[in-house]
Amino acid sequence: MLDACQRAGLSVPEEVAVVGVENDETLCEMASPPLSSLKMNGLKVGYEAATLLDQLMQGKPAPSEANPDRPGGDRHPAIERYRCC
């Protein structure tokens, strides 16, 4: 993505936001510019998705927000964040 932005003449992070995945610290630190990264807990995300699907299939309404158990938009427990300095 960083290479594509560079070829297109787009400046990261001034014009385009790029975030890494899977918290590969070495890759994030070696990138130019260094990246912030997210690591998804796939097992937890899958479990939550299956629970929601089960509820919907039972005719229950979809929650009005992404996760009603997290008031105020607190960090999602299935995502870890890493910020490279």
Side-chain angles (χ1 to χ4, degrees):
M1 179 59 71
L2 293 174
D3 290 339
C5 288
Q6 185 178 20
R7 286 192 302 269
L10 299 170
S11 179
V12 176
E14 292 79 14
E15 296 178 273
V16 178
V18 178
V19 178
V21 293
E22 296 308 321
N23 276 353
D24 185 335
E25 292 182 35
T26 303
L27 181 61
C28 289
E29 290 171 359
M30 292 178 61
S32 180
L35 297 176
S36 294
S37 183
L38 301 175
K39 181 173 184 179
M40 300 292 290
N41 179 339
L43 185 62
K44 179 137 179 85
V45 170
Y47 179 80
E48 290 182 11
T51 299
L52 176 59
L53 178 59
D54 181 56
Q55 291 173 354
L56 294 173
M57 291 175 67
Q58 291 179 35
K60 296 177 182 174
S64 60
E65 52 186 74
N67 189 335
D69 296 329
R70 295 183 300 112
D74 292 340
R75 291 184 173 185
H76 194 286
I79 301 174
E80 296 175 19
R81 289 166 177 81
Y82 167 76
R83 174 143 177 104
C84 180
C85 299

Coordinates of all heavy atoms in Angstrom, one line a residue:
M1 N 0.8 -1.2 0.0 CA 0.0 0.0 0.0 C 0.9 1.2 0.0 O 0.6 2.2 -0.7 CB -0.9 0.0 1.2 CG -1.8 1.2 1.3 SD -2.9 1.5 -0.1 CE -4.1 0.1 0.1
L2 N 1.9 1.2 0.8 CA 2.8 2.4 0.9 C 3.5 2.6 -0.5 O 3.6 3.8 -0.9 CB 3.9 2.2 2.0 CG 3.4 2.2 3.4 CD1 4.5 1.9 4.4 CD2 2.7 3.5 3.8
D3 N 3.9 1.6 -1.2 CA 4.5 1.7 -2.5 C 3.4 2.3 -3.5 O 3.8 3.2 -4.3 CB 5.0 0.4 -3.0 CG 6.2 -0.1 -2.3 OD1 6.9 0.7 -1.6 OD2 6.5 -1.3 -2.3
A4 N 2.2 1.8 -3.4 CA 1.2 2.3 -4.3 C 0.9 3.8 -4.1 O 0.7 4.6 -5.0 CB -0.1 1.5 -4.1
C5 N 0.9 4.2 -2.8 CA 0.7 5.6 -2.5 C 1.8 6.4 -3.0 O 1.6 7.5 -3.6 CB 0.6 5.8 -1.0 SG -1.0 5.2 -0.3
Q6 N 3.0 5.9 -2.9 CA 4.2 6.7 -3.4 C 4.1 6.8 -4.9 O 4.4 7.9 -5.4 CB 5.5 6.0 -3.0 CG 6.7 6.7 -3.3 CD 8.0 6.0 -2.9 OE1 8.0 4.8 -2.6 NE2 9.1 6.8 -2.8
R7 N 3.8 5.7 -5.6 CA 3.7 5.8 -7.1 C 2.6 6.8 -7.5 O 2.7 7.4 -8.6 CB 3.5 4.4 -7.7 CG 4.7 3.5 -7.6 CD 4.5 2.2 -8.5 NE 3.3 1.5 -8.0 CZ 3.4 0.5 -7.1 NH1 4.5 0.1 -6.6 NH2 2.3 -0.2 -6.8
A8 N 1.5 6.9 -6.7 CA 0.4 7.8 -7.1 C 0.7 9.2 -6.7 O -0.1 10.1 -6.9 CB -0.9 7.2 -6.5
G9 N 1.8 9.4 -6.0 CA 2.1 10.8 -5.5 C 1.3 11.2 -4.3 O 1.2 12.4 -4.1
L10 N 0.9 10.2 -3.5 CA 0.1 10.5 -2.3 C 1.0 10.5 -1.1 O 1.8 9.5 -1.0 CB -1.1 9.6 -2.2 CG -2.1 9.6 -3.3 CD1 -3.1 8.5 -3.2 CD2 -2.8 10.9 -3.3
S11 N 0.9 11.4 -0.2 CA 1.7 11.5 1.0 C 1.1 10.8 2.1 O -0.1 11.0 2.5 CB 2.0 12.9 1.3 OG 2.8 13.0 2.5
V12 N 1.8 9.8 2.7 CA 1.3 9.1 3.9 C 2.1 9.7 5.1 O 3.3 9.9 5.1 CB 1.6 7.6 3.8 CG1 1.3 6.9 5.1 CG2 1.0 7.0 2.6
P13 N 1.5 10.1 6.2 CA 0.0 10.1 6.5 C -0.7 11.3 6.2 O -1.9 11.4 6.6 CB 0.1 9.8 8.0 CG 1.2 10.6 8.5 CD 2.3 10.5 7.4
E14 N -0.1 12.3 5.6 CA -0.8 13.6 5.4 C -2.1 13.5 4.5 O -3.1 14.1 4.8 CB 0.1 14.6 4.8 CG 1.3 15.1 5.7 CD 2.4 14.1 5.8 OE1 2.5 13.1 5.0 OE2 3.2 14.3 6.7
E15 N -2.0 12.6 3.4 CA -3.1 12.5 2.5 C -3.8 11.2 2.6 O -5.0 11.1 2.3 CB -2.7 12.7 1.1 CG -2.1 14.1 0.8 CD -1.6 14.2 -0.6 OE1 -0.4 13.9 -0.9 OE2 -2.4 14.6 -1.5
V16 N -3.1 10.1 3.1 CA -3.7 8.8 3.1 C -3.3 8.2 4.5 O -2.1 8.2 4.8 CB -3.2 7.9 2.0 CG1 -3.7 6.5 2.1 CG2 -3.5 8.5 0.6
A17 N -4.2 7.6 5.1 CA -3.9 6.9 6.4 C -3.7 5.4 6.1 O -4.6 4.8 5.4 CB -5.1 7.0 7.4
V18 N -2.6 4.8 6.5 CA -2.3 3.4 6.3 C -2.1 2.8 7.7 O -1.3 3.3 8.5 CB -1.1 3.2 5.4 CG1 -0.8 1.7 5.2 CG2 -1.3 3.8 4.0
V19 N -2.7 1.6 7.9 CA -2.6 0.9 9.2 C -2.2 -0.5 8.9 O -2.8 -1.1 8.0 CB -3.9 0.9 10.0 CG1 -3.8 0.2 11.3 CG2 -4.3 2.4 10.3
G20 N -1.2 -1.0 9.6 CA -0.7 -2.4 9.4 C -1.7 -3.3 10.1 O -2.5 -2.9 10.9
V21 N -1.5 -4.6 9.8 CA -2.3 -5.7 10.5 C -1.4 -6.7 11.1 O -0.3 -6.9 10.6 CB -3.4 -6.3 9.6 CG1 -4.4 -5.3 9.2 CG2 -2.7 -6.9 8.4
E22 N -1.9 -7.4 12.1 CA -1.2 -8.6 12.7 C 0.0 -8.2 13.5 O 0.8 -9.0 13.9 CB -0.9 -9.7 11.7 CG -2.1 -10.3 11.1 CD -3.1 -10.8 12.1 OE1 -2.7 -11.3 13.1 OE2 -4.3 -10.6 11.8
N23 N 0.1 -6.9 13.9 CA 1.2 -6.4 14.8 C 2.6 -6.9 14.5 O 3.3 -7.3 15.4 CB 0.8 -6.7 16.2 CG -0.1 -5.7 16.8 OD1 -0.4 -4.7 16.2 ND2 -0.6 -6.0 18.0
D24 N 2.9 -6.9 13.2 CA 4.3 -7.3 12.8 C 5.2 -6.1 13.1 O 5.4 -5.2 12.3 CB 4.4 -7.7 11.4 CG 5.7 -8.2 11.0 OD1 6.7 -7.9 11.6 OD2 5.8 -9.0 10.0
E25 N 5.8 -6.1 14.4 CA 6.5 -4.9 14.8 C 7.7 -4.6 13.9 O 7.9 -3.4 13.6 CB 7.0 -5.1 16.2 CG 5.9 -5.2 17.2 CD 6.3 -5.3 18.7 OE1 7.4 -4.8 19.0 OE2 5.7 -6.0 19.4
T26 N 8.4 -5.6 13.4 CA 9.5 -5.3 12.6 C 9.1 -4.7 11.3 O 9.7 -3.7 10.9 CB 10.3 -6.6 12.3 OG1 10.7 -7.2 13.5 CG2 11.5 -6.4 11.4
L27 N 8.1 -5.2 10.7 CA 7.6 -4.6 9.4 C 7.1 -3.2 9.6 O 7.4 -2.3 8.8 CB 6.4 -5.5 8.9 CG 5.8 -5.0 7.5 CD1 6.9 -5.0 6.4 CD2 4.7 -5.9 7.1
C28 N 6.4 -3.0 10.7 CA 5.8 -1.6 11.0 C 7.0 -0.6 11.2 O 6.9 0.5 10.8 CB 4.9 -1.6 12.2 SG 3.3 -2.5 11.9
E29 N 8.0 -1.0 11.9 CA 9.1 -0.1 12.2 C 10.0 0.1 11.0 O 10.5 1.2 10.8 CB 10.0 -0.7 13.3 CG 9.3 -0.7 14.7 CD 10.1 -1.5 15.7 OE1 11.1 -2.1 15.4 OE2 9.6 -1.5 16.9
M30 N 10.1 -0.9 10.0 CA 10.9 -0.7 8.8 C 10.2 0.1 7.7 O 10.8 0.6 6.8 CB 11.3 -2.1 8.3 CG 12.3 -2.8 9.2 SD 12.7 -4.4 8.7 CE 13.5 -4.1 7.1
A31 N 8.8 0.1 7.8 CA 8.1 0.9 6.8 C 8.4 2.3 6.9 O 8.8 2.9 7.9 CB 6.6 0.7 7.1
S32 N 8.2 3.0 5.7 CA 8.5 4.4 5.7 C 7.3 5.1 5.1 O 6.9 4.9 3.9 CB 9.7 4.7 4.8 OG 9.9 6.1 4.7
P33 N 6.6 5.8 6.0 CA 6.8 6.1 7.4 C 6.4 4.9 8.2 O 5.7 4.0 7.8 CB 5.9 7.3 7.7 CG 4.7 7.1 6.8 CD 5.3 6.5 5.5
P34 N 6.9 4.8 9.5 CA 6.6 3.7 10.4 C 5.0 3.7 10.5 O 4.4 4.7 10.5 CB 7.2 4.1 11.7 CG 8.4 5.0 11.3 CD 7.9 5.7 10.1
L35 N 4.5 2.4 10.7 CA 3.1 2.3 10.8 C 2.6 1.9 12.2 O 3.3 1.3 12.9 CB 2.6 1.1 9.9 CG 2.9 1.2 8.4 CD1 2.5 -0.1 7.7 CD2 2.1 2.4 7.8
S36 N 1.3 2.3 12.4 CA 0.6 1.8 13.6 C 0.0 0.5 13.1 O -0.2 0.3 11.9 CB -0.5 2.7 14.0 OG 0.1 3.9 14.5
S37 N -0.3 -0.4 14.0 CA -0.9 -1.7 13.5 C -1.9 -2.2 14.5 O -2.0 -1.9 15.6 CB 0.3 -2.7 13.5 OG -0.2 -4.0 13.0
L38 N -2.8 -3.1 13.9 CA -3.9 -3.8 14.7 C -3.6 -5.3 14.6 O -3.2 -5.8 13.6 CB -5.2 -3.4 14.1 CG -5.7 -2.0 14.0 CD1 -7.0 -1.9 13.3 CD2 -5.8 -1.4 15.4
K39 N -4.0 -5.9 15.7 CA -3.9 -7.4 15.6 C -5.3 -7.9 16.0 O -5.8 -7.6 17.1 CB -2.9 -8.0 16.6 CG -2.9 -9.5 16.6 CD -1.8 -10.1 17.4 CE -1.7 -11.6 17.2 NZ -0.6 -12.2 18.0
M40 N -6.0 -8.6 15.1 CA -7.3 -9.1 15.3 C -7.2 -10.4 16.0 O -6.5 -11.3 15.7 CB -8.0 -9.3 14.0 CG -8.1 -8.0 13.2 SD -9.2 -6.8 13.8 CE -10.8 -7.6 13.6
N41 N -8.1 -10.6 17.0 CA -8.3 -11.9 17.7 C -9.4 -12.6 16.9 O -10.5 -12.4 17.2 CB -8.6 -11.7 19.2 CG -8.9 -13.0 19.9 OD1 -9.1 -14.0 19.3 ND2 -8.8 -12.9 21.2
G42 N -9.0 -13.3 15.9 CA -9.9 -14.0 15.0 C -10.9 -14.9 15.7 O -12.1 -14.9 15.3
L43 N -10.4 -15.6 16.7 CA -11.3 -16.5 17.4 C -12.4 -15.7 18.1 O -13.6 -16.1 18.0 CB -10.5 -17.3 18.4 CG -11.3 -18.4 19.2 CD1 -11.8 -19.4 18.2 CD2 -10.4 -19.1 20.2
K44 N -12.1 -14.6 18.7 CA -13.1 -13.8 19.4 C -14.0 -13.1 18.4 O -15.2 -13.1 18.6 CB -12.4 -12.8 20.3 CG -13.4 -11.9 21.1 CD -13.0 -11.7 22.5 CE -13.9 -10.8 23.2 NZ -15.1 -11.4 23.8
V45 N -13.5 -12.6 17.4 CA -14.3 -12.0 16.3 C -15.3 -13.0 15.8 O -16.5 -12.7 15.6 CB -13.4 -11.3 15.2 CG1 -14.3 -10.9 14.1 CG2 -12.6 -10.2 15.8
G46 N -14.8 -14.2 15.4 CA -15.7 -15.2 14.9 C -16.8 -15.6 15.9 O -17.9 -15.8 15.5
Y47 N -16.4 -15.8 17.2 CA -17.4 -16.1 18.2 C -18.5 -15.0 18.3 O -19.7 -15.4 18.3 CB -16.7 -16.3 19.5 CG -17.7 -16.6 20.6 CD1 -18.2 -17.9 20.8 CD2 -18.1 -15.7 21.5 CE1 -19.1 -18.2 21.8 CE2 -19.0 -15.9 22.5 CZ -19.5 -17.2 22.7 OH -20.4 -17.5 23.7
E48 N -18.1 -13.8 18.3 CA -19.0 -12.7 18.4 C -19.9 -12.6 17.2 O -21.1 -12.4 17.3 CB -18.3 -11.4 18.6 CG -17.7 -11.2 20.0 CD -17.1 -9.9 20.2 OE1 -17.2 -9.0 19.4 OE2 -16.4 -9.8 21.2
A49 N -19.4 -12.9 16.0 CA -20.2 -12.9 14.8 C -21.2 -14.0 14.8 O -22.3 -13.8 14.4 CB -19.2 -13.0 13.5
A50 N -20.8 -15.2 15.2 CA -21.7 -16.4 15.3 C -22.8 -16.1 16.3 O -23.9 -16.5 16.0 CB -20.9 -17.6 15.6
T51 N -22.5 -15.5 17.4 CA -23.5 -15.2 18.4 C -24.5 -14.2 17.8 O -25.7 -14.4 18.0 CB -22.8 -14.6 19.7 OG1 -21.9 -15.6 20.2 CG2 -23.8 -14.2 20.7
L52 N -24.0 -13.2 17.2 CA -24.9 -12.2 16.5 C -25.8 -12.9 15.5 O -27.0 -12.6 15.4 CB -24.1 -11.0 15.9 CG -24.9 -10.0 15.2 CD1 -26.0 -9.3 16.1 CD2 -24.0 -8.9 14.6
L53 N -25.2 -13.7 14.6 CA -26.0 -14.4 13.6 C -27.0 -15.3 14.2 O -28.2 -15.3 13.7 CB -25.0 -15.2 12.7 CG -25.7 -16.0 11.6 CD1 -26.4 -15.1 10.7 CD2 -24.6 -16.9 10.9
D54 N -26.7 -16.0 15.3 CA -27.7 -16.8 16.0 C -28.8 -16.0 16.5 O -30.0 -16.4 16.3 CB -27.0 -17.6 17.1 CG -28.0 -18.5 17.8 OD1 -28.6 -19.4 17.2 OD2 -28.1 -18.3 19.1
Q55 N -28.5 -14.8 17.1 CA -29.6 -14.0 17.6 C -30.5 -13.5 16.4 O -31.7 -13.4 16.6 CB -29.0 -12.8 18.3 CG -28.3 -13.2 19.6 CD -27.6 -12.0 20.3 OE1 -27.4 -10.9 19.7 NE2 -27.0 -12.3 21.5
L56 N -29.9 -13.1 15.3 CA -30.7 -12.6 14.2 C -31.5 -13.7 13.6 O -32.7 -13.5 13.2 CB -29.7 -12.0 13.1 CG -29.0 -10.8 13.5 CD1 -28.0 -10.4 12.4 CD2 -29.9 -9.6 13.8
M57 N -31.0 -14.9 13.6 CA -31.8 -16.0 13.0 C -32.9 -16.4 13.9 O -33.9 -17.0 13.5 CB -30.8 -17.2 12.8 CG -29.9 -17.0 11.6 SD -28.6 -18.3 11.4 CE -29.7 -19.7 10.9
Q58 N -32.8 -16.1 15.2 CA -33.9 -16.3 16.1 C -35.0 -15.2 16.1 O -35.9 -15.2 16.9 CB -33.4 -16.4 17.6 CG -32.6 -17.7 17.8 CD -32.0 -17.8 19.2 OE1 -32.7 -17.4 20.2 NE2 -30.9 -18.3 19.3
G59 N -34.8 -14.2 15.2 CA -35.7 -13.1 15.1 C -35.5 -11.9 16.0 O -36.3 -11.0 16.1
K60 N -34.4 -12.0 16.8 CA -34.1 -10.9 17.7 C -33.5 -9.7 16.9 O -32.9 -9.9 15.8 CB -33.1 -11.3 18.7 CG -33.6 -12.4 19.6 CD -32.5 -12.9 20.6 CE -33.1 -14.0 21.5 NZ -32.0 -14.6 22.3
P61 N -33.8 -8.5 17.3 CA -33.3 -7.3 16.6 C -31.8 -7.2 16.6 O -31.2 -7.6 17.6 CB -34.0 -6.1 17.2 CG -34.3 -6.6 18.6 CD -34.5 -8.1 18.5
A62 N -31.3 -6.6 15.6 CA -29.8 -6.3 15.6 C -29.5 -5.2 16.7 O -30.4 -4.3 16.9 CB -29.4 -5.8 14.2
P63 N -28.4 -5.2 17.3 CA -28.1 -4.2 18.3 C -28.0 -2.8 17.6 O -27.6 -2.7 16.4 CB -26.7 -4.6 18.8 CG -26.2 -5.6 18.0 CD -27.3 -6.2 17.2
S64 N -28.3 -1.8 18.3 CA -28.3 -0.5 17.7 C -26.9 0.1 17.5 O -26.7 1.1 16.8 CB -29.2 0.5 18.6 OG -28.6 0.6 19.9
E65 N -25.9 -0.5 18.2 CA -24.6 -0.1 18.0 C -23.7 -1.3 17.9 O -24.2 -2.4 18.1 CB -24.1 0.8 19.2 CG -24.3 0.2 20.6 CD -24.0 1.1 21.7 OE1 -24.7 2.1 21.9 OE2 -22.9 0.9 22.3
A66 N -22.4 -1.1 17.5 CA -21.6 -2.2 17.2 C -21.4 -3.2 18.3 O -21.5 -4.4 18.1 CB -20.2 -1.7 16.8
N67 N -21.3 -2.7 19.5 CA -21.2 -3.6 20.7 C -21.8 -2.9 21.9 O -21.1 -2.1 22.5 CB -19.7 -4.0 21.0 CG -19.6 -5.1 22.0 OD1 -20.5 -5.2 22.9 ND2 -18.6 -5.9 22.0
P68 N -23.0 -3.1 22.2 CA -23.7 -2.4 23.3 C -23.0 -2.6 24.7 O -23.3 -1.9 25.6 CB -25.1 -2.9 23.3 CG -25.0 -4.2 22.6 CD -23.9 -4.1 21.7
D69 N -22.2 -3.6 24.8 CA -21.5 -3.9 26.1 C -20.3 -2.9 26.3 O -19.7 -3.0 27.4 CB -21.0 -5.3 26.2 CG -22.2 -6.3 26.2 OD1 -23.3 -5.9 26.7 OD2 -22.0 -7.4 25.7
R70 N -20.0 -2.1 25.3 CA -18.8 -1.2 25.4 C -19.3 0.2 25.4 O -19.2 0.9 24.4 CB -17.9 -1.5 24.3 CG -17.2 -2.8 24.4 CD -16.2 -3.1 23.3 NE -16.8 -3.0 22.0 CZ -16.5 -2.0 21.1 NH1 -15.6 -1.1 21.4 NH2 -17.0 -1.9 19.9
P71 N -19.9 0.8 26.5 CA -20.4 2.2 26.4 C -19.2 3.1 26.1 O -18.1 2.9 26.5 CB -20.9 2.4 27.8 CG -20.3 1.3 28.7 CD -19.9 0.2 27.8
G72 N -19.6 4.1 25.4 CA -18.6 5.2 25.1 C -17.6 4.8 24.1 O -16.6 5.5 23.9
G73 N -17.8 3.7 23.4 CA -16.8 3.3 22.3 C -15.5 2.9 22.8 O -14.5 3.1 22.2
D74 N -15.4 2.2 24.0 CA -14.1 1.7 24.5 C -13.5 0.8 23.5 O -14.2 0.2 22.6 CB -14.3 1.0 25.8 CG -14.7 1.9 26.9 OD1 -14.5 3.2 26.8 OD2 -15.3 1.5 27.9
R75 N -12.2 0.5 23.7 CA -11.5 -0.4 22.7 C -12.2 -1.8 22.7 O -12.6 -2.3 23.7 CB -10.1 -0.5 23.1 CG -9.3 0.8 22.9 CD -7.9 0.6 23.3 NE -7.1 1.7 22.9 CZ -5.8 1.8 22.9 NH1 -5.1 0.9 23.4 NH2 -5.2 3.0 22.6
H76 N -12.2 -2.3 21.5 CA -12.8 -3.6 21.4 C -11.8 -4.7 21.9 O -10.6 -4.6 21.6 CB -13.1 -3.9 19.9 CG -14.0 -5.1 19.7 ND1 -13.5 -6.3 19.8 CD2 -15.3 -5.1 19.3 CE1 -14.5 -7.2 19.5 NE2 -15.6 -6.4 19.3
P77 N -12.3 -5.6 22.7 CA -11.4 -6.6 23.3 C -10.7 -7.6 22.3 O -9.8 -8.3 22.5 CB -12.2 -7.4 24.3 CG -13.6 -7.2 23.8 CD -13.6 -5.8 23.1
A78 N -11.3 -7.6 21.1 CA -10.8 -8.5 20.0 C -9.7 -7.9 19.2 O -9.1 -8.5 18.3 CB -11.9 -9.0 19.1
I79 N -9.3 -6.6 19.5 CA -8.3 -5.9 18.7 C -7.2 -5.4 19.7 O -7.5 -4.7 20.6 CB -8.9 -4.7 17.9 CG1 -10.0 -5.2 17.0 CG2 -7.9 -4.0 17.2 CD1 -10.8 -4.1 16.3
E80 N -6.0 -5.7 19.4 CA -4.9 -5.1 20.1 C -4.2 -4.1 19.2 O -4.2 -4.2 18.0 CB -3.8 -6.2 20.4 CG -4.3 -7.3 21.3 CD -3.3 -8.4 21.4 OE1 -2.1 -8.2 21.1 OE2 -3.6 -9.5 21.8
R81 N -3.8 -3.0 19.8 CA -3.2 -1.9 19.0 C -1.7 -1.8 19.4 O -1.3 -2.0 20.5 CB -3.9 -0.6 19.4 CG -5.3 -0.5 18.8 CD -6.0 0.6 19.4 NE -7.3 0.8 18.8 CZ -8.4 0.0 19.2 NH1 -8.3 -0.9 20.0 NH2 -9.6 0.2 18.6
Y82 N -0.9 -1.5 18.4 CA 0.5 -1.3 18.5 C 0.9 0.0 17.8 O 0.5 0.1 16.6 CB 1.3 -2.5 17.9 CG 2.8 -2.3 17.8 CD1 3.6 -2.3 18.8 CD2 3.3 -2.0 16.5 CE1 4.9 -2.0 18.7 CE2 4.6 -1.7 16.4 CZ 5.4 -1.7 17.5 OH 6.8 -1.5 17.3
R83 N 1.5 0.8 18.4 CA 2.0 2.1 17.7 C 3.5 2.1 17.7 O 4.2 2.1 18.7 CB 1.5 3.3 18.5 CG 2.0 4.6 17.9 CD 1.0 5.7 17.9 NE 1.5 6.9 17.4 CZ 1.3 7.4 16.2 NH1 0.5 6.7 15.4 NH2 1.9 8.5 15.8
C84 N 4.0 2.2 16.5 CA 5.4 2.2 16.3 C 5.9 3.7 16.5 O 5.3 4.6 16.1 CB 5.8 1.8 14.9 SG 7.5 1.8 14.6
C85 N 7.0 3.8 17.2 CA 7.5 5.2 17.4 C 8.4 5.6 16.3 O 9.1 4.9 15.7 CB 8.3 5.2 18.7 SG 7.3 4.7 20.1

